[in-house]
């Protein structure tokens, strides 16, 4: 069988995805597993099929083990602080990721700590978090190599800060070393609008640039070793690990006189990453990295032939950009629900300058102790970043605004894309599918199940309630409905909301809204007996009504940044379950 690694990578991915489905919905998970295995049985050699089953089982067991076996629930636990901000703290215990709460305010990112407290299993599947540990007391451990790397990186930022200033120093740290902690939220929004968000996280592009420069200067052997150290220094993100594995295989294959196959190399990288981090199946960075490379492998040469009339440099740039978007764009629309119309122009004008920043920033890293050379590099960086700043301002004025999609609209775009591929491959029955998809789009505002969403518009907290054909917005402040970037028709807006009231949706559900200063908290009341049915737009704050409900689900408003006027969290009530949607990914509460 040609390219068996491709089948193994897909199989492990499907094994992990099946396990996720089985954990949350036994029926859906079983249907997915049976369907996939039947397709494999009918399309591949029978002897090879048994090997595929083995990889499928490995994927299922590996994913289940990560979230359910050897959880860090000891009363005294050694962890490393992996991310620390004002509102959020995560740590790693072995390979497990956990959220820390409680006595955490003086903890430092990158440090090993002995913590004492209580563990509660609360998995967040898209982030690879297995639960929450409430810290009652802690003891700082001695410094180790990884903490020294973290401290060195902090010191490097301070050195860049002296010459470049806060904004430019933050940009250098993000572009060159994958440390986006210093980037302002408004900067991130500008990058999203221009379609160049990938430049502020160390990706395959960065690894390729760094390796190529190193290979020219010191040869491929030392370049591979230094690239490995660079991968660890920048945080070991999925895209950099993938790029390093592919570069390593490319160089090794030529030395052992074997033909390099980019698709098999990409598949091996996926297998290694999914075994180490099975939760990567829901990681947007992981998916975008692999889909971009898959598009380049499959379509780059075809794009060059189509654009043959362009000058060679333009042809190469546009072909690379377009082919990388073929698979990644539909996924990005579904996962992020946004799309930048000017991404091609932005990448063409800005990527060459950001490539120079990557090179100069890493030279600055090497020469950070040689002050005259380091200062000279900083002045070079300052000049390039000034050019980039002016180009970005100009493009920001000329390019159209970013398009925001609802969850249904993003699925519709993806469905139409699949139909296009099916028709192109000769499956004529796909031509009827768009009619069904457009029908779904027309009825997207009709909600069969009640939906409750948190929205933040500047400093105003809002709750969006949707059920059947009615949509209302409740806010503690005063907002302009036009600033709400949610593609639904809003029927009523209740502004300056104070106190607490209940919205009765039907004879089963009620939404309790409680104002706490400028913040707004929503709670879902679920009844197990029939109560009087009322219209959802009628408010009633009588306490007696609340007593008729059997249990309550408090809806958490995540302390996370999203563009103003967009949804932070969405909750959907189905039966007696409440599903949480975060960045387009679902999880059962």
């Amino acid at each position: 069988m040609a390219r068996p690694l491709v089948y193994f990578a897909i199989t492990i991915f499907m094994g992990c995805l099946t396990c996720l489905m089985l954990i949350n919905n036994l029926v859906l998970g079983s249907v997915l597993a049976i369907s996939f295995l039947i397709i494999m049985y009918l399309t591949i050699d029978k002897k090879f099929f048994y090997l595929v089953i083995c990889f499928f089982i490995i994927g299922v067991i590996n994913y289940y083990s990560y979230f359910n076996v050897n959880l860090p629930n000891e009363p005294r636990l050694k962890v490393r602080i992996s991310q620390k901000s004002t509102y959020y703290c995560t740590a790693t215990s072995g390979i497990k990721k956990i959220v820390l709460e409680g006595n955490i305010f003086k903890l430092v990112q990158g440090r090993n700590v002995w913590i004492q407290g209580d563990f509660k299993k609360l998995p967040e599947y898209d982030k690879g978090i297995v639960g929450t540990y409430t810290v009652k007391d802690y003891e700082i451990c001695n410094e180790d190599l990884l903490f020294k790397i973290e401290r060195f990186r902090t010191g490097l930022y301070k050195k860049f800060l002296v010459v470049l200033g806060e904004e430019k120093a933050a940009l250098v740290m993000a572009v060159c070393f994958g440390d986006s902690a210093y980037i302002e939220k408004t900067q991130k929004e500008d990058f999203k609008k221009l379609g160049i968000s990938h430049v502020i996280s160390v990706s395959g592009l960065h690894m390729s640039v760094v390796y190529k420069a190193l290979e020219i200067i010191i040869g491929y052997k030392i370049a591979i070793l230094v690239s490995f150290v660079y991968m660890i220094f920048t945080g070991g993100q999925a895209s950099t690990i993938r790029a390093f594995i592919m570069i390593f295989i490319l160089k090794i294959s030529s030395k052992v006189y074997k033909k390099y196959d980019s698709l098999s190399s990409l598949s091996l990288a996926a297998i290694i990453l999914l075994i180490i981090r099975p939760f990567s199946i829901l990681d947007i960075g992981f998916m975008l990295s692999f889909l971009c490379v898959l598009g380049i492998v499959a379509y780059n040469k075809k794009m060059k032939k189509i654009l043959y009339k362009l000058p060679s440099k333009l042809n190469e740039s546009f072909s690379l950009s377009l082919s990388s978007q073929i698979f990644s764009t539909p996924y990005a629309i579904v996962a992020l629900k946004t799309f930048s119309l000017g991404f091609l122009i932005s990448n063409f004008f800005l990527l060459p300058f950001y490539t120079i920043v990557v090179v100069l920033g890493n030279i600055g890293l090497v020469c950070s102790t040689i002050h005259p050379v380091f200062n000279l590099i900083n002045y070079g960086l300052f000049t390039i970043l000034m050019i980039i700043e002016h180009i970005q301002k100009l493009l920001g004025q000329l390019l159209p605004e970013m398009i925001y999609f609802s969850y249904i609209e993003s699925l519709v775009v993806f469905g139409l894309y699949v139909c296009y591929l099916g028709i192109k491959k000769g499956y004529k029955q796909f031509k009827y599918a768009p009619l069904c998809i457009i029908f779904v789009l027309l009825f997207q505002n009709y909600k069969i199940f009640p939906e409750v969403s948190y929205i933040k518009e500047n400093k105003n907290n809002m709750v969006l309630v949707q059920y059947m054909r009615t949509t209302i917005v409740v806010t503690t402040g005063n907002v302009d409905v036009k600033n709400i970037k949610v593609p639904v028709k809003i029927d009523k807006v209740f502004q300056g909301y104070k106190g607490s009231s209940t919205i009765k949706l039907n004879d089963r559900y009620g939404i309790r809204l409680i104002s706490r200063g400028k913040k707004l908290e929503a709670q879902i009341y679920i009844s197990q007996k029939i109560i009087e049915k009322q219209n959802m737009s009628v408010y009633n704050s009588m306490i007696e009504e609340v007593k008729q409900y059997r249990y309550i689900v408090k809806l958490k408003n995540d302390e996370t940044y999203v563009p103003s006027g967009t949804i932070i969290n969405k909750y959907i009530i189905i039966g007696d379950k409440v599903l949480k949607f975060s960045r387009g990914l679902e999880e059962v509460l």
Side-chain angles (χ1 to χ4, degrees), residues 431-449:
K431 65 183 180 181
Y432 301 108
L435 296 175
C436 301
I437 293 170
I438 292 170
F439 179 79
V440 170
L441 181 62
L442 291 174
F443 284 89
Q444 70 161 320
N445 286 332
Y446 185 86
K447 305 296 181 182
I448 299 174
F449 303 107

Side-chain angles (χ1 to χ4, degrees), residues 246-469:
M246 293 186 73
I247 290 170
F248 181 78
I249 295 171
L250 173 64
K251 294 302 169 183
I252 293 300
S253 63
S254 63
K255 300 306 172 184
V256 296
Y257 304 103
K258 295 290 183 180
K259 185 180 178 181
Y260 175 75
D261 181 69
S262 53
L263 199 55
S264 295
S265 175
L266 181 67
S267 301
L268 180 60
I271 291 169
I272 293 170
L273 272 166
L274 288 173
I275 289 174
I276 298 171
R277 303 173 180 174
F279 57 85
S280 295
I281 58 168
L282 296 183
D283 179 56
I284 294 175
F286 171 88
M287 292 298 297
L288 288 177
S289 176
F290 279 87
L291 290 173
C292 282
V293 177
L294 183 61
I296 292 169
V297 170
Y299 289 101
N300 190 38
K301 289 182 180 178
K302 295 179 181 178
M303 284 292 176
K304 284 182 178 179
K305 290 179 181 178
I306 294 171
L307 303 174
Y308 71 94
K309 290 186 178 180
L310 291 176
S312 58
K313 290 292 182 182
L314 283 176
N315 187 314
E316 188 175 340
S317 178
F318 281 122
S319 298
L320 194 66
S321 295
L322 287 171
S323 59
S324 68
Q325 299 293 326
I326 287 175
F327 295 119
S328 61
T329 296
Y331 172 79
I333 289 173
V334 173
L336 303 174
K337 298 186 286 297
T338 59
F339 178 67
S340 170
L341 290 170
F343 77 92
L344 191 60
I345 297 171
S346 300
N347 278 268
F348 175 74
F349 283 106
L350 291 171
L351 277 188
F353 290 103
Y354 277 113
T355 301
I356 297 171
V357 172
V358 172
V359 174
L360 289 177
N362 281 279
I363 294 173
L365 167 66
V366 177
C367 303
S368 59
T369 55
I370 309 171
H371 297 293
V373 178
F374 185 74
N375 289 334
L376 183 64
I377 290 165
N378 270 305
Y379 287 121
L381 279 170
F382 187 87
T383 304
I384 298 298
L385 290 171
M386 285 297 294
I387 295 171
I388 288 173
E389 188 178 321
H390 284 94
I391 294 174
Q392 285 184 180
K393 283 183 179 179
L394 181 62
L395 291 175
Q397 294 172 355
L398 296 176
L399 295 178
E401 289 291 327
M402 190 163 51
I403 300 175
Y404 292 89
F405 293 88
S406 68
Y407 188 70
I408 295 295
E409 285 174 334
S410 63
L411 291 177
V412 166
V413 171
F414 184 76
L416 291 172
Y417 179 74
V418 171
C419 292
Y420 166 74
L421 292 179
I423 295 170
K424 192 176 179 181
K425 290 290 183 182
Y427 300 102
K428 294 184 179 179
Q429 55 269 35
F430 273 95
K431 65 183 180 181
Y432 301 108
L435 296 175
C436 301
I437 293 170
I438 292 170
F439 179 79
V440 170
L441 181 62
L442 291 174
F443 284 89
Q444 70 161 320
N445 286 332
Y446 185 86
K447 305 296 181 182
I448 299 174
F449 303 107
E451 297 185 9
V452 182
S453 304
Y454 282 113
I455 300 175
K456 193 169 185 179
E457 199 275 322
N458 292 327
K459 295 182 179 180
N460 295 306
N461 246 296
M462 291 183 281
V463 171
L464 179 75
V465 182
Q466 298 170 270
Y467 185 48
M468 294 187 176
R469 294 186 182 278

Side-chain angles (χ1 to χ4, degrees), residues 66 69-72 74 77-82 91-98 112-113 128 130 146 276-277 279:
Y66 182 86
V69 178
N70 296 326
L71 297 179
E74 294 86 359
L77 190 67
K78 188 176 183 180
V79 300
R80 183 183 300 279
I81 309 302
S82 55
T92 55
S93 173
I95 62 170
K96 313 281 187 181
K97 294 173 68 175
I98 56 175
N112 271 334
V113 183
V130 298
L146 290 179
I276 298 171
R277 303 173 180 174
F279 57 85

Side-chain angles (χ1 to χ4, degrees), residues 12 161 226 354 364 435 485 512 563:
I12 287 185
L161 187 64
V226 176
Y354 277 113
L435 296 175
K485 299 182 178 72
R512 188 77 169 174

Side-chain angles (χ1 to χ4, degrees), residues 22-42:
L22 287 170
I23 291 170
N24 291 312
N25 190 308
L26 185 62
V27 175
L28 188 60
S30 301
V31 170
L32 180 64
I34 293 169
S35 302
F36 175 73
L37 292 175
I38 287 174
I39 292 170
M40 287 289 102
Y41 182 80
L42 295 175

